Structures are given as structure tokens and as C-alpha cells.
Amino acid sequence: MHDALDQADRAVQAGARLIEWRIDALVGGDDAFKAIQTLLRDSPASCIVTCRPLWEGGLCEVPEIERLELLRNIIESDSPPKYVDLEMLALERSPEAAIALIDAIKETNTRPGVEVGLILSSHDFKGRPVDLIQKIETMTNEMGVNVIKVVWLARSLRDNLEAFAILRERSRPTLALCMGEFGLMSRVLAPKFGGFITFASEAPGHETAPGQASIEELRNLYRFDSIGRDTKVYGVIGWPVGHSLSPKIHNAGFDAIEHDGVYLPLPVPKEYEHFKATVGSLIDDERLDFRGASVTIPHKENLIRFVMERGGSIEPMAGFIGAANTLVVNEDGSIEAINTDCPAAIKALCARLDIEPDALQGKRVAILGAGGVARGIVAGLAQLGAKVTIFNRSQNRAEAMVEAFRELAPIAIGEALQLIDERFDIYINGTPLGMNGGPDPEASPLPDGAPLEGALVMETVYNPVETPLIRQAEANGAITLDGLAMFVRQAGTQFKHWTGRALPVDVMDVDRGN
Ligand code: NAP
């Protein structure tokens, strides 16, 4: 009890206004009722009591009649909770006991100064229930219900849009939340659509449902307290997106300039059909106010295709590169694809070497990788007259890049041995090697023995900031440039496109220890 109350205290200090006591696991033990009474009496904030049974994803194993009777006793006790959660299915499984519970609430509410509300809930941990709309209708028509709660496991970001539609069309206080990796949006944006409450865990690792954010994340990272009806929505589209630093930077930026926006991780599976369907739905849902996104692996090429198919505009450099990392959705619904990686890389490089871009002419540059980020950097360097050699795992992708940029400048394809035998002025990693959560976080894309002394070694991976490549370069006397240098510059340009304002400098000075 002591630990539970401490945890509740911490939650209230962090900003929780209501505590949900999940008593599932207490029930059935000796003195359960006494323990629950202690929790209710000493609760640091008004509370919801929930005793979730096994058949609805909870831990309570006692017979249904016993469970509902316990809830009834709690309601009739001296310290009743502000809300009691009752599963809709309980009304079907044990109608008499469930109705007795509802009657007990009515009776308790006749006591002076006491008001207990009933939350009627329905959860689906497998996906969107086929009869979702029918369920909501039945719940809405149920007598004695104060709040309707529907929760399901989202199959894609599009499920959030349905949750928002449910909230918009509600005729009673309603909670519509999506669980799992696709569901964060429904939890953060609940206030935009008038959701009754949202749930957050007291601390990371203490979630009571998959995909729940912590109070700290919700309030400090996702700007929960400032979300309202007109809040504009942005995000980072990728697969996976869990490691992205972008939400931290852009949300801090919105805060600093008081822009009414929120920036979320937007996971979209790698196939183009997923990208097209999801991003199309986000743009087409006018009430969402979706205004733009950063687009990362593996969707940078998909963004160009998508914007072309929808008749949007493609910035010439992005079109030339064939990859874009920024989506802008204008107020009239028109869309633009922009590449901010390319200018960011060139600016970061020049700042580190303290040179003007023109001075890159004739520099010998080894590019490791031939994916989206490499294409952007190669285009920028080739345009400035640098002598670029590409080293890539698969030959055909390197050849495709050489072919694509043929009219711009001759680009060479390198053999692995050249990285030992030859010395380049600049080395740039455009692979995910060294990245947390990537194919090999411990690997450097350069072989041992590469002659790096005096060269500039530029990393594009920024999580972690100090990668195996950066360590190798430092140990071999190279000048190093970490991935954050480029990252904050490309983020700054995106921010300008979306808000018309510069990303504040203190936001750009992200913690390099992270
Ligand atoms: P991408 O389009 O998927 O390309 C990845 C490239 O890395 C491909 O050339 C691929 O080779 C190569 N590669 C992948 N796994 C490899 C492995 N195990 N061994 C050797 N080569 C491998 O990805 P991207 O969009 O270019 O992103 C690459 C990296 O850039 C990411 O780590 C990302 O974090 C970073 N990035 C940083 C910034 C920044 O602002 N700092 C911006 C964008 C991206 P194949 O062609 O053989 O598949």
C-alpha cells in the first residue's frame, strides 16, 4: 500500500489530476477490501477504481459475482471513488450483479456530497472490433452510464482518425483510445477532440496498457497541456521511428516560439501502399490539422512518388535527388516535398572546416552508402565540384546513383580496398552502421587501417552521437563531425518551412551526451 500510494503521490506531483487504481491483482487476497479502502481513503487525488478481469485483459481471476460484489462494497464504503470502471461485457455475462452495481452507484449518489460516476468500458487487445460502432451505440443507450470508454489495438495510424471521429460525434463524455505502437496519437491528441481524459503511466516502464506514454513524456515532450481544438499536427514518418530525436527538437521549438503545434512519432510500415494510405488519410482529415512531417528511412523516395501522384509540388533539388525528407501541407491542402538533408550536410561540413561551399571544389570525398541520405549529400557535393567516390554494399544501387547524377558530375564507384590504399580529404557515413536499433550498432563503415589522419570524417548517424566511426576517426587523428551537426540544420530548415520562424538556438543546442 505504501509503495502504491508513493507512486500515486509522484504521479500527482508530475501533473496527474486523477488516479486510476487498478485493483485487479489485489482482489482475492486476504484483507483485499481493507487494503483497497486504504488506497481510496489516502489517495492523493480523485480516483477511478478498476478491477479488470482476465477476460478483458486484466489480472483479476475471482468469479464474476465476487468481483462485482467487491466493487459494490467499494462504492458503498465511506470513501467511494469518483469513478468506477465497469466492462460492457459484464452486463452480458452477469447482468443481475452488474445492474445491482449500477443501482448501488445511484443509491450512493443520494448521500450528501457524494458523487460516483460510472465509466462503461470496452477493450480489444487484438484490433479494431468489427462491431465498434454498434458497441458505442449500445453503450450510449445504457442507463446510468456517465462516461463511455472504448479502447482497441490500432492496426495503423488510421485507427486514431476513427477514434477522433468517435470523440467528435459523442453524445456523452467519451474516451476513445488506441493501444500499441500506432496509438500514441490518440492519447496525446485526446484534448483536441474533446476526449474525456487520457491515461499516462507514472513513469516509463509502469504502463498499464501497450503504447501508454508517461506523464512526463505526455506533458513535457508532447505538450499535452497546450493541446487544444486548433492545435496543428506534425510528426516524423518512418519505420521504425522510436529512436528519433525529432519530437524532442520540434516540440521544444514549438514551445519556444509559442506555436500551437505538436510533433509526434508517426510509424508507417515500409511498403509504399502503407505510406500512401496513411499519409493520404492524415492529410485528407481536415479536422486533424495535419501540417507537415519529417520523413525518414525508408520513406524518403516514397514521399517524392506520393507528392507527384497527388499533384503536389516538388522542390527542384528534391526532385533531382529523387528523395525528400520534408512534407509541407499548406492550409489550402496543397502539399510540397522538400529535401533539407542536402543543404544541411553541406552547411555542417563547411562550418566544421571553416570554408565557403566553393572551397569544396576538387576535394576528394568518400561516401559510404548509396541510400537516401547519401544521394542528398552526393548531389550537393557534386554540384559544388567535389570529386566523389561511392562505396556501397550493393553495386546496383551505387550504379543507379552514378547514372542519376551523370549530367551533374562524374562520380566514381569505389572498391573496398581503396579505403585502405587511398587517402580521401573527406569521409561521410551514409549507412545506418553504428546506429542504435540499426543493423549493427557496434560497426564502423570504414575498415581498420583506413588512412584518416588530417581528413574530415563526417557521421550522419546521431543516435548515439559518439559512434564507432567517430571513435575510430578520433583515434586516427581525423577531424570529426557528428551526426547532430547535420541533423539540427535539416530540422531547422523544416521548422522554418512549417512555422515561418527560425528554430531557436538553445533548442538546436541539443544535449550531445544523449
Ligand atoms: P537508406 O536509404 O535505407 O540507405 C541505407 C544505406 O546504407 C544503403 O546504401 C545500404 O546499402 C547501406 N546499408 C544498410 N545496412 C548496411 C549494412 N549492414 N552494411 C553496409 N551497408 C548498409 O537510409 P538513409 O535514409 O540513407 O539513412 C542512412 C543513415 O543516415 C541513417 O542511419 C540515418 O540515421 C542517417 N541520417 C541522418 C540524418 C541527419 O540529419 N544526421 C538525416 C538522414 C539520415 P544497400 O544499398 O546495399 O542496401
Side-chain angles (χ1 to χ4, degrees), residues 110-433:
T110 60
R111 276 158 44 189
V114 176
E115 204 182 329
V116 178
L118 177 66
I119 301 176
L120 192 62
S121 66
S122 168
H123 302 78
D124 197 320
F125 289 85
K126 292 208 180 79
R128 179 196 178 280
V130 277
D131 56 350
L132 179 64
I133 302 303
Q134 200 185 335
K135 250 185 187 149
I136 293 169
E137 207 177 303
T138 312
M139 291 165 99
T140 307
N141 294 332
E142 203 61 60
M143 299 297 283
V145 174
N146 301 92
V147 181
I148 289 167
K149 176 185 180 193
V150 280
V151 185
W152 72 93
L153 180 75
R155 302 150 303 171
S156 84
L157 288 175
R158 280 182 288 163
D159 274 358
N160 295 285
L161 302 180
E162 187 170 16
F164 300 147
I166 291 169
L167 291 180
R168 285 200 302 266
E169 286 152 24
R170 71 190 183 278
S171 55
R172 285 187 189 210
T174 301
L175 267 142
L177 295 172
C178 293
M179 293 184 284
E181 63 178 324
F182 297 110
L184 178 69
M185 186 187 254
S186 70
R187 299 178 181 277
V188 175
L189 294 182
K192 180 173 165 73
F193 298 98
F196 178 63
I197 49 170
T198 199
F199 290 84
S201 64
E202 175 264 313
H206 289 181
E207 300 81 19
T208 51
Q212 209 174 64
S214 69
I215 303 174
E216 150 81 17
E217 282 168 338
L218 207 58
R219 298 188 72 212
N220 297 343
L221 177 57
Y222 298 121
R223 317 191 66 227
F224 187 74
D225 299 317
S226 57
I227 288 173
R229 213 182 52 185
D230 299 326
T231 301
K232 298 172 183 64
V233 178
Y234 307 82
V236 50
I237 297 171
W239 187 259
V241 282
H243 286 99
S244 175
L245 198 60
S246 299
K248 200 170 163 184
I249 290 201
H250 288 291
N251 283 319
F254 293 161
D255 238 14
I257 66 159
E258 296 182 13
H259 177 67
D260 187 7
V262 63
Y263 185 103
L264 298 163
L266 302 172
V268 176
K270 62 180 190 301
E271 295 76 17
Y272 178 67
E273 289 317 311
H274 282 288
F275 184 88
K276 182 178 172 177
T278 305
V279 183
S281 306
L282 297 179
I283 294 171
D284 292 341
D285 190 326
E286 285 179 13
R287 306 286 289 275
L288 182 65
D289 295 310
F290 181 60
R291 286 281 170 271
S294 312
V295 176
T296 184
I297 304 177
H299 291 304
K300 291 184 181 185
E301 283 145 16
N302 288 341
L303 176 59
I304 296 277
R305 181 173 163 193
F306 174 78
V307 173
M308 266 167 68
E309 283 179 11
R310 280 182 70 116
S313 83
I314 293 169
E315 173 222 21
M317 193 55 162
F320 181 68
I321 295 166
N325 69 332
T326 310
L327 169 68
V328 177
V329 183
N330 299 307
E331 257 187 73
D332 63 1
S334 62
I335 57 173
E336 297 171 50
I338 296 162
N339 190 310
T340 71
D341 281 339
C342 169
I346 302 297
K347 275 187 203 154
L349 206 59
C350 291
R352 184 70 178 99
L353 291 173
D354 198 15
I355 56 171
E356 290 300 318
D358 288 352
L360 287 169
Q361 187 173 9
K363 291 264 193 257
R364 292 168 43 79
V365 187
I367 303 278
L368 313 160
V373 79
R375 277 180 91 93
I377 298 174
V378 169
L381 287 169
Q383 214 171 31
L384 291 163
K387 290 189 176 150
V388 177
T389 306
I390 297 166
F391 295 85
N392 194 48
R393 181 177 61 176
S394 30
Q395 187 78 1
N396 56 353
R397 215 161 167 196
E399 282 167 3
M401 184 137 86
V402 169
E403 183 58 30
F405 295 156
R406 191 216 295 267
E407 285 175 21
L408 196 64
I411 294 167
I413 296 179
E415 300 275 342
L417 266 182
Q418 268 176 275
L419 290 169
I420 305 257
D421 295 343
E422 283 180 37
R423 193 183 167 283
F424 291 83
D425 301 312
I426 299 170
Y427 296 82
I428 302 176
N429 180 24
T431 78
L433 291 177

